[in-house]
């Protein structure tokens, strides 16, 4: 049997081999085949990387053998030889995964240098400064990346030398200085590692390839993968490429180029270069690069060739390209190309332009914009210049995107007061509860110590479009003292902090925020997405204001109206509390009578904003204790207001205490105990619909949703209350009004018995927050605390509360769809858990045939685009 092939020359690969060769490797092969001047080399495959991990982090001898064999072929191609004293070959070793992960993994340049080859290089080029500069860079990079001796030590040694010589710039060190520096570097290395710096290029090569494989699992790569939905099982390829030198003197140089402007999307080549430099100098910003237009003056011929190649590559890949190039003694090389990263504004403009230029179809263009990127168009961001000096003091979960800067306040009440005085506020809490709602509305941003992506703070902040960092365990809050401490520094009430809800970063002090600009390209692009998609997009909204916002962002209805959120408003909380402390049905009904007109008015407001888009109204869900205070002081105050004794109220609070409230007396269980609550809510929904229908003529079909059902009989029990109440009102008014009753599928038992449930439910809406919580058996509010250990250990790659666990929870959803349709062919299916706004979960919902997804207003455009992409990948129409 022939051995498996783990190593490919650039001339042996092609563009279709991205999974095996990585994006960079496949593109280098492709560029080679279309005649772009690419320094030649070979790619060690992603399969070799996976095998490295399977083999307990070692490269198997057969792969080592294949690497050496390809190296010999590369020697033939280049006419140079590894370690040769006549014509030494030097190479770069770089990572290249299937998806580009800029800056996440490691790179080594100038490999092949040692005390002998450096001299040959010096003599051959007549440029000893260049040779020793390359050598010291190599030692530095190899020590850092391969042997984990930090780069900063070498920088310190270099700084000492510059100081001793009285010079400022690296370029002011001459050949002898650099030779001396190399000696110092090697001595430091020997001291740190207890062995000589390796001089055998073959040994250097294998060690470097190993280091790149290892870097696939460095912490920043793991975090990047989690944020970008890249599976750890892909592995990275490694590219070994002949070095060309941009630091060979004044006819050499190096630079980066974008075929269009990556910030604005403008159709104009955007490139910068530095003469007499190597790649890292351009990126590091020590010297200021020149705009590419300058090259035309310096070398018109190379300039023309450069422009031609950039255009060729863009036309070939039919997308904006990000390229690295080097000019070695007047000869131009392209070292790599990839589809360029770009801002959201640029992404939209480029996608629309490419369609208008006839380069892409609308369907292809739709795939060019990352749905999550649209977030940045809808929220304020930090000013880029201000950000340069900002120091991250802590990191939490990126719970709700956007940027906020303000004074720290520790209670909702104080936040509200400060806001009314015109201050900008960042509310810092251990965690938020429904009582904090007004303080949350008054804040620019919310920072919590505890809680995950579906915690109260996260869900409510996303709904309001307010920036939120949740679960930031780095900070220690002292609510009494009104301070928090992080990294030995204590922050007081009134101190400024800035938080970034898109990254989870917390910064000390003030960073300017800038409002996003929405261009015409957004409208054009989103219209294409709507034309393409078949999956509908609704929103989770509880107020007319949020509804209006969501409609503006393209929501096609409400998929979840959490009615309890309405009860926390200052003018209602008393009525609901009266209902809770009521001793009997009669006094409970009296309290509910007070709530009825308010709740009806809320629904009228919502229906008016929706015009005739549908709305799913969910009945009361949280455990009742959430509406009551828990501190004696507050219980005392409330007792006075309610006209009962402290002891009485305290006894009620105690009686409502549950060890597991999320699995306790909540959801439809409340309506089973107190049917009058469901009656009042039905009345409010139906009367509001009749009111708006008769006044405005809108075609309203209320969808009433019963939460937390696990057994068809409990659904039937509550449904009977609903239909009895609704039918009586409709008959009494003598009006035509259709309505539907359905349920959430959020308890595993409901999923398992979905065929039964569908006998009573006209629609299912998957409540994947609770379904995830109960399927995994971990609390949606606390899991963040330990999930990070699971990411570090590679057990989970992403937060299942954020990205639907398709294998487990998804299986329950899929099963419910099948069972539900068996009973009721035309059953309406949607999702209203937080996953409804997550692109990969939206794709899953499309694939299993749901009718709609529902998400917070600001994520509606994200879901619209994700749904269109899902349609392009797997057409349903
Ligand atoms: C859910 O459980 O997914 C859901 C949408 O309901 P809530 O988040 O209100 O529990
Ligand atoms: Mg739920």
């Amino acid at each position: 049997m022939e051995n498996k092939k783990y190593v490919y020359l650039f001339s042996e690969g092609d563009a279709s081999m991205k999974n095996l060769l990585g994006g960079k490797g496949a593109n280098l092969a492709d560029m080679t085949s279309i005649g772009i001047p690419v320094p030649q080399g070979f790619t060690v495959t992603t399969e070799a990387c996976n095998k490295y991990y399977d083999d307990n982090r070692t490269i198997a001898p057969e792969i080592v053998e294949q690497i050496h064999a390809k190296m010999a072929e590369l020697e033939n191609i280049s006419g140079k030889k590894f370690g040769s004293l006549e014509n030494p070959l030097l190479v770069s070793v770089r990572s290249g995964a299937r998806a580009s992960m800029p800056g996440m993994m490691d790179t080594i340049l100038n490999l092949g240098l040692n005390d002998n080859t450096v001299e040959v290089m010096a003599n051959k080029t007549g440029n000893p400064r260049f040779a020793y500069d390359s050598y010291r860079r190599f030692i530095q990079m190899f020590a850092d990346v391969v042997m984990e001796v930090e780069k900063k030590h070498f920088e310190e040694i270099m700084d000492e030398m510059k100081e001793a010589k009285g010079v400022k710039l690296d370029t002011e060190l001459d050949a002898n200085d650099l030779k001396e520096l190399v000696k110092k570097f090697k001595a430091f290395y020997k001291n740190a590692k207890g062995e000589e710096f390796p001089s055998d290029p073959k040994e250097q090569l294998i060690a470097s390839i190993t280091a790149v494989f290892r870097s696939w699992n460095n912490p920043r790569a793991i975090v990047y993968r989690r944020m970008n939905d890249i599976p750890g099982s892909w592995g990275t390829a490694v590219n070994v490429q002949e070095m060309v030198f941009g630091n060979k003197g004044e006819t050499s140089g190096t630079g980066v180029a974008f075929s269009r402007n990556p910030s604005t999307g403008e159709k104009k080549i955007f490139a910068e270069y530095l003469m007499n430099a190597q790649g890292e100098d351009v990126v590091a910003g020590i010297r200021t690069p020149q705009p590419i237009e300058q090259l035309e003056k310096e070398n018109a011929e190379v300039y023309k060739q450069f422009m031609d190649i950039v255009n060729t590559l863009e036309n070939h890949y039919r997308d904006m390209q990000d390229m690295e190039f080097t000019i070695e003694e007047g000869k131009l090389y392209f070292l790599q190309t990839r589809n360029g990263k770009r801002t959201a504004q640029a992404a939209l403009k480029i996608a629309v332009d490419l369609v208008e230029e006839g380069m892409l179809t609308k369907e292809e263009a739709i795939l060019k914009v990352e749905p999550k990127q649209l977030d940045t168009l809808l929220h304020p961001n930090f000013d880029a210049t201000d950000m340069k000096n900002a120091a991250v003091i802590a990191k939490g979960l990126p719970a709700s995107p956007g940027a906020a800067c303000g004074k720290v306040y520790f209670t909702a009440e104080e936040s509200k007061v400060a806001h009314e005085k015109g201050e900008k506020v960042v509310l810092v809490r251990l965690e938020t509860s429904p009582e904090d709602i007004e303080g949350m509305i008054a804040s620019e941003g919310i920072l919590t110590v505890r809680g995950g992506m579906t915690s109260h703070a996260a869900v409510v902040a996303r709904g309001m479009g307010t920036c939120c960092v949740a679960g930031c365990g780095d900070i220690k809050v002292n609510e009494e003292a009104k301070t928090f401490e992080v990294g030995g520094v204590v922050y007081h009430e009134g101190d400024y902090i800035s938080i970034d809800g898109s990254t989870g970063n917390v910064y000390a002090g003030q960073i300017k925020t800038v409002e996003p600009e929405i261009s015409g390209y957004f409208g054009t692009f989103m219209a294409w997405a709507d034309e393409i998609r078949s999956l509908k997009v609704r929103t989770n909204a509880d107020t007319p204001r949020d509804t209006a916002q969501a409609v503006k962002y393209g929501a096609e209805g409400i998929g979840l109206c959490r009615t309890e959120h309405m009860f926390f408003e200052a003018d209602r909380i008393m009525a609901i509390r009266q209902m809770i402390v009521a001793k009997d049905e009669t006094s409970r009904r009296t309290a509910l009578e007070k709530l009825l007109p308010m709740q009806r008015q809320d629904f009228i407001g919502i229906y008016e904003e929706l015009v005739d888009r549908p709305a799913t109204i969910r009945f009361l869900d949280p455990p009742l204790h959430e509406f009551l205070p828990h501190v004696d002081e507050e219980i005392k105050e409330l007792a006075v207001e309610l006209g009962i004794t402290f002891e009485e109220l305290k006894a009620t609070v105690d009686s409502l205490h549950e060890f597991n409230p999320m699995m306790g007396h909540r959801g439809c269980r409340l309506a089973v105990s107190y049917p009058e609550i469901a009656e009042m809510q039905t009345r409010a929904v139906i009367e509001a619909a009749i009111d708006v229908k008769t006044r405005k003529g809108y075609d309203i079909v209320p969808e009433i949703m019963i939460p937390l059902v696990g057994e068809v009989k409990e659904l039937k029990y509550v449904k009977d209350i609903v239909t009895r109440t609704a039918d009586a009102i409709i008959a009494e008014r003598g009006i035509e009004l259709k309505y539907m009753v359905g349920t959430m599928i959020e308890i595993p038992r409901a999923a398992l018995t979905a065929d039964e449930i569908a006998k009573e439910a006209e629609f299912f809406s998957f409540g994947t927050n609770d379904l995830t919580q109960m399927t995994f058996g971990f609390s949606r509010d606390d899991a963040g605390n330990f999930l990070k250990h699971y990411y570090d250990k590679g057990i989970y790659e992403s937060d299942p509360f954020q990205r639907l666990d398709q294998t487990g929870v998804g299986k329950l959803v899929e099963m419910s769809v099948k069972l539900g349709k068996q009973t009721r062919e035309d059953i309406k299916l949607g999702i209203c858990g937080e996953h409804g706004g997550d692109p990969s979960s939206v794709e899953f919902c499309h694939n299993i045939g749901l009718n709609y997804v529902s998400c917070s207003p600001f994520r509606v455009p994200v879901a619209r685009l994700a749904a269109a992409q899902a349609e392009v990948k797997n057409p349903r129409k």
Side-chain angles (χ1 to χ4, degrees):
M1 196 184 80
E2 206 183 308
N3 270 348
K4 185 164 190 161
K5 190 170 164 77
Y6 286 104
V7 190
Y8 289 75
L9 286 175
F10 294 166
S11 53
E12 293 173 321
D14 64 56
S16 70
M17 294 163 77
K18 210 167 183 165
N19 295 357
L20 189 63
L21 303 179
K24 192 184 295 173
N27 282 358
L28 284 167
D30 194 32
M31 286 160 85
T32 301
S33 76
I34 61 170
I36 307 288
V38 172
Q40 287 301 290
F42 56 84
T43 305
V44 189
T45 63
T46 53
E47 286 179 353
C49 176
N50 287 334
K51 188 164 163 54
Y52 160 85
Y53 283 104
D54 291 346
D55 293 346
N56 214 1
R57 297 186 176 229
T58 51
I59 303 187
E62 58 184 296
I63 299 179
V64 172
E65 219 172 273
Q66 288 189 30
I67 293 170
H68 291 317
K70 285 297 162 196
M71 196 66 211
E73 288 188 47
L74 181 59
E75 287 174 336
N76 284 338
I77 295 167
S78 66
K80 299 176 184 168
K81 219 171 158 42
F82 230 10
S84 154
L85 297 183
E86 276 142 37
N87 202 4
L89 173 63
L90 304 188
V91 295
S92 66
V93 178
R94 299 169 138 191
S95 62
R98 207 193 290 189
S100 95
M101 297 168 59
M104 289 303 128
M105 287 180 291
D106 294 325
T107 290
I108 294 147
L109 304 178
N110 306 332
L111 188 144
L113 282 174
N114 57 29
D115 290 352
N116 300 326
T117 51
V118 71
E119 274 299 314
V120 183
M121 291 294 288
N123 291 334
K124 264 187 92 69
T125 57
N127 189 345
R129 190 192 181 283
F130 150 73
Y132 278 94
D133 189 41
S134 304
Y135 194 20
R136 69 97 190 158
R137 287 171 194 267
F138 169 57
I139 296 172
Q140 218 167 323
M141 263 186 267
F142 185 90
D144 178 36
V145 170
V146 181
M147 305 306 287
E148 294 170 333
V149 183
E150 276 186 84
K151 199 158 67 191
K152 71 165 194 239
H153 299 299
F154 298 100
E155 279 161 6
E156 278 162 17
I157 298 172
M158 191 153 165
D159 286 343
E160 276 167 27
M161 176 172 269
K162 283 196 281 189
E163 205 176 312
K165 296 273 302 178
V167 299
K168 278 217 163 64
L169 298 176
D170 298 1
T171 44
E172 291 173 287
L173 296 175
D174 63 22
N176 281 332
D177 298 332
L178 292 168
K179 202 168 179 173
E180 185 59 31
L181 196 62
V182 161
K183 268 198 201 134
K184 291 191 173 178
F185 277 9
K186 287 178 69 182
F188 182 84
Y189 179 95
K190 188 174 177 190
N191 198 17
K193 299 304 295 182
E195 62 189 30
E196 293 290 346
F197 187 84
S199 61
D200 175 3
K202 285 186 174 168
E203 191 189 323
Q204 295 170 353
L205 178 67
I206 301 299
S208 301
I209 293 172
T210 311
V212 174
F213 284 158
R214 191 174 64 213
S215 72
W216 175 247
N217 273 332
N218 71 28
R220 64 180 196 277
I222 291 176
V223 170
Y224 186 91
R225 287 205 293 272
R226 194 161 72 239
M227 281 174 67
N228 293 281
D229 291 338
I230 300 171
S233 60
W234 282 3
T236 182
V238 182
N239 297 294
V240 177
Q241 188 174 25
E242 184 186 349
M243 285 294 301
V244 286
F245 294 95
N247 55 343
K248 262 189 175 174
E250 291 311 317
T251 56
S252 302
T254 189
V256 290
F258 291 89
S259 60
R260 300 182 186 223
N261 186 309
S263 313
T264 63
E266 188 195 1
K267 184 174 163 43
K268 180 164 183 265
I269 292 171
F270 177 86
E272 291 180 329
Y273 71 108
L274 264 177
M275 291 314 272
N276 199 11
Q278 237 179 17
E280 52 178 10
D281 299 327
V282 182
V283 186
I286 304 165
R287 287 159 58 196
T288 311
Q290 307 271 349
I292 197 71
E293 290 69 27
Q294 180 68 23
L295 184 64
E296 192 173 16
K297 293 180 201 136
E298 286 180 19
N299 190 335
E301 203 182 315
V302 171
Y303 176 77
K304 183 176 177 310
Q305 194 195 358
F306 168 87
M307 298 302 265
D308 286 348
I309 293 176
V310 170
N311 288 326
T312 305
L313 286 174
E314 181 175 284
N315 288 332
H316 183 72
Y317 290 105
R318 299 186 300 140
D319 198 354
M320 187 265 271
Q321 295 298 295
D322 164 1
M323 296 144 288
E324 282 182 23
F325 64 95
T326 287
I327 305 163
E328 186 184 67
E329 296 179 327
K331 185 164 166 26
L332 178 66
Y333 294 93
F334 274 66
L335 309 185
Q336 65 161 307
T337 190
R338 61 185 172 208
N339 294 341
K341 298 268 176 220
R342 58 204 82 175
T343 63
Q345 278 89 346
L348 291 174
K349 176 166 165 51
I350 291 170
V352 172
D353 285 351
L354 289 178
V355 172
E356 281 168 5
E357 288 162 29
M359 197 128 58
L360 295 180
T361 64
K362 288 178 189 173
E363 284 74 13
E364 288 167 329
I366 283 296
L367 297 176
K368 296 286 180 195
V369 179
E370 273 288 320
K372 279 187 191 160
Q373 257 199 317
L374 296 180
D375 263 347
T376 59
L377 288 177
L378 311 173
H379 299 280
N381 297 299
F382 284 130
D383 177 82
T385 350
D386 254 27
M387 271 299 273
K388 288 200 178 124
N389 307 317
V392 177
I393 54 169
K395 201 167 165 58
L397 296 169
S400 176
C405 166
K407 288 186 180 174
V408 171
Y409 284 95
F410 292 91
T411 67
E413 185 56 32
E414 281 152 348
S415 299
K416 207 176 126 196
V417 174
H419 172 71
E420 281 160 6
K421 282 195 276 178
E423 289 181 10
K424 288 199 181 312
V425 173
V426 174
L427 173 63
V428 180
R429 303 281 289 151
L430 282 174
E431 62 211 342
T432 61
S433 73
E435 283 165 81
D436 293 332
I437 191 78
E438 289 183 90
M440 294 171 80
I441 293 172
S443 304
E444 306 295 309
I446 297 152
L447 171 63
T448 69
V449 179
R450 296 198 282 255
M453 296 298 288
T454 59
S455 62
H456 178 266
V459 172
V460 173
R462 275 200 291 278
M464 301 190 303
T466 300
C467 153
C468 173
V469 173
C472 182
D474 294 351
I475 66 168
K476 305 277 167 285
V477 169
N478 184 337
E479 287 187 327
E480 288 278 289
K482 296 189 180 159
T483 59
F484 74 81
E485 189 259 342
V486 62
V489 181
V490 177
Y491 296 81
H492 299 87
E493 182 181 88
D495 287 350
Y496 274 103
I497 61 167
S498 302
I499 62 174
D500 186 336
S502 310
T503 60
N505 286 341
V506 180
Y507 303 88
Q510 298 187 60
I511 308 176
K512 214 188 308 159
T513 55
V514 283
E515 287 300 319
E517 265 176 49
I518 296 193
S519 67
Y521 295 101
F522 180 76
T524 309
F525 184 80
M526 292 310 292
W528 293 345
D530 290 343
E531 220 173 273
I532 291 168
R533 74 192 157 90
S534 54
L535 186 66
K536 299 247 181 249
V537 177
R538 295 196 189 186
T539 191
N540 295 357
D542 324 318
T543 62
R545 193 190 62 171
D546 289 355
T547 309
Q549 181 73 267
V551 167
K552 215 171 85 196
Y553 286 148
E556 295 166 291
I558 286 183
L560 173 64
C561 172
R562 292 179 166 102
T563 50
E564 61 272 15
H565 286 177
M566 301 164 165
F567 294 149
F568 285 99
E569 306 260 327
D571 56 342
R572 342 240 151 132
I573 186 101
M574 276 313 279
I576 186 114
R577 285 170 167 170
Q578 274 163 356
M579 182 206 81
I580 296 169
V581 300
K583 289 264 174 318
D584 49 39
E585 190 183 320
T586 320
S587 32
R588 216 166 14 249
R589 280 187 184 277
T590 314
L592 285 166
E593 277 302 314
K594 284 195 205 152
L595 284 170
L596 173 65
M598 303 190 230
Q599 179 116 90
R600 187 172 50 218
Q601 199 51 44
D602 291 329
F603 297 142
I604 290 175
I606 286 176
Y607 281 134
E608 284 183 349
E609 292 296 345
L610 283 173
V611 185
D612 33 28
R613 297 175 185 86
T616 306
I617 313 276
R618 181 184 71 184
F619 279 6
L620 192 65
D621 185 58
L624 297 181
H625 77 90
E626 283 197 11
F627 296 96
L628 294 178
H630 295 93
V631 187
D632 281 359
E633 270 308 292
E634 293 172 22
I635 296 177
K636 259 184 217 150
E637 278 173 34
L638 181 62
V640 174
E641 284 181 65
L642 288 169
I644 55 176
T645 65
F646 166 74
E647 287 71 23
E648 248 178 300
L649 183 54
K650 174 99 174 133
T652 309
V653 172
D654 289 346
S655 72
L656 290 174
H657 170 82
E658 292 177 308
F659 286 101
N660 263 324
M662 288 307 269
M663 299 212 259
H665 199 193
R666 57 175 285 227
C668 63
R669 298 159 200 170
L670 292 171
V672 170
S673 305
Y674 311 117
E676 50 283 3
I677 301 179
E679 243 176 64
M680 181 282 281
Q681 293 203 289
T682 306
R683 186 167 276 283
V685 173
I686 299 295
E687 289 178 354
I690 292 175
D691 174 78
V692 179
K693 186 172 172 162
T694 43
R695 257 187 319 109
K696 301 263 188 184
Y698 299 161
D699 181 22
I700 299 175
V701 181
E703 299 171 3
I704 292 175
M705 179 155 76
I706 315 299
L708 224 73
V709 163
E711 157 61 51
V712 66
K713 284 191 216 140
E714 68 183 336
L715 171 61
K716 175 148 181 15
Y717 178 82
V718 183
K719 183 182 168 186
D720 285 347
I721 303 168
V722 172
T723 50
R724 217 183 307 124
T725 314
D727 293 348
I729 301 169
I730 294 167
E732 189 188 312
R733 300 283 173 93
I735 189 172
E736 276 270 311
L737 184 82
K738 276 201 232 119
Y739 66 93
M740 295 168 81
V741 184
T743 185
M744 296 190 69
I745 301 285
E746 52 183 342
I747 288 197
R749 192 177 188 284
L752 297 167
T753 60
D755 47 346
E756 294 280 311
I757 306 264
K759 287 181 189 152
E760 297 298 332
E762 290 172 273
F763 61 86
F764 286 169
S765 177
F766 293 97
T768 44
N769 302 335
D770 275 309
L771 193 58
T772 300
Q773 167 165 265
M774 296 195 221
T775 304
F776 278 87
F778 45 54
S779 153
R780 55 197 265 194
D781 294 310
D782 302 315
N785 291 339
F786 56 82
L787 276 178
K788 50 180 180 282
H789 304 301
Y790 280 72
Y791 306 143
D792 292 347
K793 299 188 176 161
I795 300 172
Y796 294 138
E797 288 187 344
S798 57
D799 180 348
F801 287 106
Q802 218 175 325
R803 183 172 195 239
L804 189 74
D805 157 47
Q806 297 180 10
T807 17
V809 179
K811 197 183 259 177
L812 285 174
V813 174
E814 237 181 309
M815 179 196 277
S816 316
V817 168
K818 225 165 109 209
L819 291 175
K821 281 187 173 166
Q822 261 171 31
T823 305
R824 195 186 285 268
E825 213 180 312
D826 61 347
I827 190 162
K828 204 165 176 182
L829 301 163
I831 180 175
C832 62
E834 288 301 303
H835 304 95
D838 168 70
S840 71
S841 313
V842 171
E843 183 176 348
F844 175 79
C845 293
H846 166 92
N847 290 341
I848 62 167
L850 298 196
N851 301 101
Y852 68 86
V853 296
S854 186
C855 56
S856 56
F858 289 85
R859 291 166 89 187
V860 166
V862 176
R864 284 160 68 200
L865 176 54
Q869 294 188 341
E871 180 73 35
V872 173
K873 291 188 210 160
N874 177 16
R876 208 159 84 172
K877 274 185 182 167

